[in-house]
Amino acid sequence: MKLATLKDGSRDGQLVVVSRDLAQAHHATGIAGTMQHLLDDWNFVSPQLEDLAATLNDGKARHAFVFDPRQCMAPLPRAFQWVDGSAYLNHVELVRKARGAEVPASFYQDPLMYQGGSDDFLGPTDDAVFASTDWGIDFESEVAVVTGDVAMGTSPDSALDSVRLLMLVNDWSLRNLIPAELAKGFGFLQAKPATAFGPVAVTPDELGDAWQGGRVHLTLESRWNDRSVGRTEAGPEMSFHFGQLIAHVAKTRRLRAGSIVGSGTVSNKDWGHGYSCIAEKRAIETIESGAPRTEFMQFGDTIRIEMRGRDGQSLFGAIEQRVAPLAP
Amino acid sequence: MKLATLKDGSRDGQLVVVSRDLAQAHHATGIAGTMQHLLDDWNFVSPQLEDLAATLNDGKARHAFVFDPRQCMAPLPRAFQWVDGSAYLNHVELVRKARGAEVPASFYQDPLMYQGGSDDFLGPTDDAVFASTDWGIDFESEVAVVTGDVAMGTSPDSALDSVRLLMLVNDWSLRNLIPAELAKGFGFLQAKPATAFGPVAVTPDELGDAWQGGRVHLTLESRWNDRSVGRTEAGPEMSFHFGQLIAHVAKTRRLRAGSIVGSGTVSNKDWGHGYSCIAEKRAIETIESGAPRTEFMQFGDTIRIEMRGRDGQSLFGAIEQRVAPLAP
């Protein structure tokens, strides 16, 4: 089942079911008004939406309409939790190597994760607004899961059973604000502005065999200013699977329905795959020639992030954003 | 106006208006069902609740009932944002001095804050459940504000205009998990489990003159196992006021209605005031005699946190929690 949230002037938008080919949508009116409502009462609500999705995919839904990603908010326009991992250790190794630092041994057992702001997410085609390009504006292409309720102290394997939906993420990062916040040790507030999500959230069965071992075994494409800069493989090099990330957070507390857990920048050892964030490109340049050559993003730059299923069909629809200056 | 959220089996509970003396309450049915609903539509909803509060305080509300804090959830049982400052620099100085570290000069201009989990808050009398006392279980007595919508790049002064409500906080901390998370630089996930809040959220006018310059000029009492261990002054030594804390977060992003911003452990230079967290007591012991003598909390321990207005009346009601082991 594929689901989206349409802009309707409200803070949480309007839940719709979307056809597998992303061509048609249908309001979920009478079943659930919002994505959070679905997640709060998954066992009761989701079978009814699955029925509607089947009717829509069969072309038999009477009030179907054309699906337009430009009308989408983030699937969860605001959420009660957003935690992001850095589960591709190649990314961590690259960035550290570029600044001559070692990766601590513990990083191979203990996932690096941060608690993000979740009160104000961007829709897939919303402008990303910043006051200054001096901050080092960068995209980060990722995948994320949305969980149901998770018990405190859950194991990585049972944590996987809590995965309700998958989403596409652009975890906007302000690279030049990161060093100072890292040094304080308290995590990111200013360096991680509003995060954007792909148009459609999907249940794991939509991925077929590509959802395996708590990982998404598909290719993630990033196009910066309409040039393909990354075709990274999200599956095999994810050092911690989503169950491990969820269990890490749940060690000392419960997670409640609608918690979003991200993978971190998808990254591969083979540089031929390109990159899912500019910081990595600059790290490679630094390792190869002593200094970065590629600049971070400028006002007017665009970023397009998309992932296709094994059938070639866009799985989540595309994130297509433009970097824009804050109005004075 | 004083407001609370009563347990009703739902995830967000039931909004009620509470009398100034915390004796009576009245359902807000027909005005707003939940605290988040009020915050989402403050300008329309709050005047209606103010009318109800006036009637209740006059003893003329026809369906008033006895207010019982044990029936309370956190005023916001789950929120879209919880960020906590460390605005009392004396606390930072003490803890660092105890481990022989300097306070960086930047800490006096740039507030230390972390993004907390907000999907699962504890009510004022809910047990605080942990799997192990080895984690170094500690309370932290604080105050917090709840904001309306805040624009990106707002100034500290205009940020203060967004303050809608004040609350009492117990920011549970697992001290022995903090060093490892601090070293990773990505902030706290495991070291900051579910946070608890006082029974009642209040509008700033309930504080009268005690709400001044973005600070709460009142005494915060902490009673550990029924022994008063802290009577700290929350006002004069708050190095960054709430407007500064909000503006710090809003530098690169908007804050949306219902964001909770905490003060951090209330701390005074004069040790005669006692302490609002055990870590500080242990820091003082270390500075005075080379090692801490006071242990962190054990299963069965209780903590009571309360703040009285200048009239002697309990402002928010009391947080009264027991430390309990996780059921196997």
Side-chain angles (χ1 to χ4, degrees):
Chain A
M1 165 168 67
K2 298 190 174 190
L3 301 159
T5 296
L6 297 190
K7 297 175 184 175
D8 68 352
S10 74
R11 292 177 186 268
D12 295 304
Q14 178 71 37
L15 180 65
V16 296
V17 174
V18 181
S19 62
R20 193 155 290 142
D21 63 3
L22 306 181
Q24 302 273 309
H26 196 288
H27 285 291
T29 321
I31 304 175
T34 66
M35 190 74 78
Q36 186 64 48
H37 177 172
L38 162 62
L39 290 155
D40 283 348
D41 198 8
W42 182 266
N43 290 341
F44 181 71
V45 174
S46 70
Q48 301 173 61
L49 291 177
E50 290 280 7
D51 286 348
L52 178 56
T55 312
L56 183 66
N57 282 323
D58 287 348
K60 291 179 180 157
R62 284 173 49 191
H63 300 288
F65 55 91
V66 172
F67 176 65
D68 177 3
R70 288 168 301 184
Q71 297 305 314
C72 285
M73 305 174 81
L76 280 166
R78 52 182 180 174
F80 294 107
Q81 176 150 253
W82 159 229
V83 285
D84 197 14
S86 196
Y88 298 84
L89 282 173
N90 185 60
H91 172 73
V92 182
E93 288 165 358
L94 262 184
V95 173
R96 298 226 163 198
K97 192 171 174 189
R99 62 170 203 256
E102 296 278 305
V103 177
S106 65
F107 279 31
Y108 294 87
Q109 278 81 51
D110 184 49
L112 195 59
M113 301 185 75
Y114 78 91
Q115 187 95 40
S118 57
D119 60 316
D120 188 31
F121 291 141
L122 302 178
T125 66
D126 290 349
D127 282 353
V129 172
F130 305 103
S132 172
T133 54
D134 294 343
W135 291 341
I137 301 166
D138 198 359
F139 63 90
E140 281 198 2
S141 311
E142 311 187 0
V143 284
V145 298
V146 186
T147 75
D149 292 324
V150 179
M152 193 188 299
T154 198
S155 72
D157 278 352
S158 23
L160 270 188
D161 294 336
S162 75
V163 172
R164 299 281 179 262
L165 298 167
L166 289 114
M167 300 194 296
L168 193 64
V169 184
N170 184 4
D171 182 40
W172 286 102
S173 298
L174 298 170
R175 297 293 173 194
N176 297 338
L177 303 184
I178 284 183
E181 291 198 322
L182 268 186
K184 288 161 89 178
F186 270 42
F188 308 115
L189 280 165
Q190 298 178 337
K192 293 284 185 177
T195 308
F197 290 86
V200 164
V202 309
T203 47
D205 59 291
E206 291 288 335
L207 279 71
D209 286 351
W211 173 242
Q212 215 164 81
R215 297 172 174 88
V216 178
H217 291 266
L218 292 170
T219 309
L220 183 64
E221 184 174 34
S222 302
R223 297 182 70 86
W224 177 17
N225 290 336
D226 215 22
R227 200 167 63 84
S228 183
V229 297
R231 291 185 52 83
T232 49
E233 295 303 326
E237 296 178 57
M238 188 178 181
S239 313
F240 302 98
H241 67 67
F242 278 110
Q244 290 173 296
L245 298 180
I246 297 166
H248 181 79
V249 182
K251 178 179 172 179
T252 61
R253 48 166 152 134
R254 308 189 297 179
L255 276 74
R256 304 296 281 163
S259 291
I260 305 171
V261 180
S263 68
T265 311
V266 176
S267 177
N268 298 140
K269 271 200 198 302
D270 175 355
W271 296 356
H273 289 288
Y275 53 91
S276 304
C277 72
I278 302 170
E280 208 164 286
K281 169 72 167 160
R282 287 166 56 93
I284 291 169
E285 290 168 351
T286 303
I287 292 164
E288 284 184 338
S289 62
R293 286 187 317 272
T294 306
E295 298 295 324
F296 290 117
M297 296 178 88
Q298 303 301 315
F299 293 134
D301 275 15
T302 59
I303 176 69
R304 186 180 205 280
I305 302 170
E306 195 170 21
M307 181 174 257
R308 290 177 189 279
R310 290 190 174 157
D311 57 359
Q313 168 62 50
S314 182
L315 190 58
F316 306 101
I319 293 175
E320 291 195 87
Q321 295 188 274
R322 201 171 54 95
V323 176
L326 182 65
Chain B
M1 165 166 69
K2 297 191 175 191
L3 300 159
T5 296
L6 297 190
K7 296 175 185 176
D8 67 352
S10 74
R11 293 178 185 268
D12 294 304
Q14 179 71 36
L15 180 65
V16 297
V17 174
V18 181
S19 63
R20 192 155 289 142
D21 62 2
L22 305 182
Q24 301 274 309
H26 197 288
H27 284 291
T29 321
I31 304 175
T34 66
M35 189 74 77
Q36 185 63 46
H37 177 173
L38 162 62
L39 290 155
D40 282 347
D41 198 8
W42 182 265
N43 289 341
F44 181 71
V45 174
S46 70
Q48 302 174 60
L49 291 177
E50 291 279 7
D51 287 348
L52 178 56
T55 312
L56 182 66
N57 282 323
D58 287 348
K60 289 178 181 159
R62 284 173 47 192
H63 300 289
F65 54 91
V66 173
F67 176 65
D68 178 3
R70 287 168 301 183
Q71 297 305 315
C72 285
M73 305 174 82
L76 280 166
R78 51 182 181 174
F80 295 106
Q81 177 150 256
W82 159 230
V83 284
D84 197 15
S86 196
Y88 298 85
L89 281 173
N90 185 60
H91 171 74
V92 182
E93 288 165 356
L94 260 185
V95 172
R96 297 225 163 200
K97 193 170 172 190
R99 62 169 202 255
E102 295 278 305
V103 177
S106 66
F107 278 30
Y108 293 87
Q109 278 82 50
D110 183 49
L112 196 59
M113 301 185 74
Y114 77 92
Q115 187 94 42
S118 57
D119 60 316
D120 188 31
F121 291 142
L122 301 178
T125 66
D126 290 347
D127 281 353
V129 173
F130 304 104
S132 172
T133 54
D134 293 344
W135 291 341
I137 301 167
D138 198 359
F139 63 90
E140 281 198 2
S141 311
E142 311 187 0
V143 284
V145 298
V146 186
T147 76
D149 292 324
V150 179
M152 193 188 297
T154 198
S155 72
D157 278 353
S158 21
L160 270 187
D161 294 336
S162 74
V163 172
R164 299 281 177 263
L165 298 167
L166 288 112
M167 301 193 296
L168 193 63
V169 184
N170 184 4
D171 181 40
W172 286 103
S173 298
L174 298 171
R175 297 295 173 194
N176 297 339
L177 303 184
I178 285 183
E181 291 199 322
L182 268 186
K184 288 161 88 177
F186 270 42
F188 307 115
L189 280 166
Q190 298 178 338
K192 293 284 186 178
T195 308
F197 290 86
V200 163
V202 310
T203 47
D205 60 290
E206 291 289 335
L207 278 70
D209 288 350
W211 174 242
Q212 216 164 80
R215 297 172 175 87
V216 178
H217 292 266
L218 292 170
T219 309
L220 182 63
E221 183 175 35
S222 303
R223 297 183 69 87
W224 177 17
N225 290 336
D226 216 22
R227 201 166 62 85
S228 182
V229 297
R231 290 184 54 82
T232 50
E233 296 302 326
E237 296 177 57
M238 189 180 181
S239 312
F240 302 98
H241 66 67
F242 279 111
Q244 290 173 296
L245 297 180
I246 296 166
H248 180 78
V249 182
K251 178 178 173 180
T252 62
R253 48 166 152 136
R254 310 189 296 180
L255 275 73
R256 303 297 280 162
S259 291
I260 306 171
V261 181
S263 68
T265 311
V266 176
S267 177
N268 298 140
K269 271 200 197 304
D270 176 354
W271 296 356
H273 289 288
Y275 52 92
S276 304
C277 71
I278 301 170
E280 209 164 284
K281 169 70 168 161
R282 288 167 56 94
I284 293 169
E285 290 168 351
T286 303
I287 293 164
E288 285 184 338
S289 62
R293 286 187 317 271
T294 306
E295 298 295 325
F296 289 116
M297 296 177 88
Q298 303 301 315
F299 293 134
D301 275 15
T302 59
I303 176 69
R304 186 179 205 280
I305 303 169
E306 195 170 22
M307 180 175 258
R308 290 176 189 281
R310 289 187 174 158
D311 56 1
Q313 168 62 51
S314 182
L315 191 59
F316 306 100
I319 292 175
E320 291 194 86
Q321 295 189 274
R322 199 170 56 95
V323 175
L326 181 64

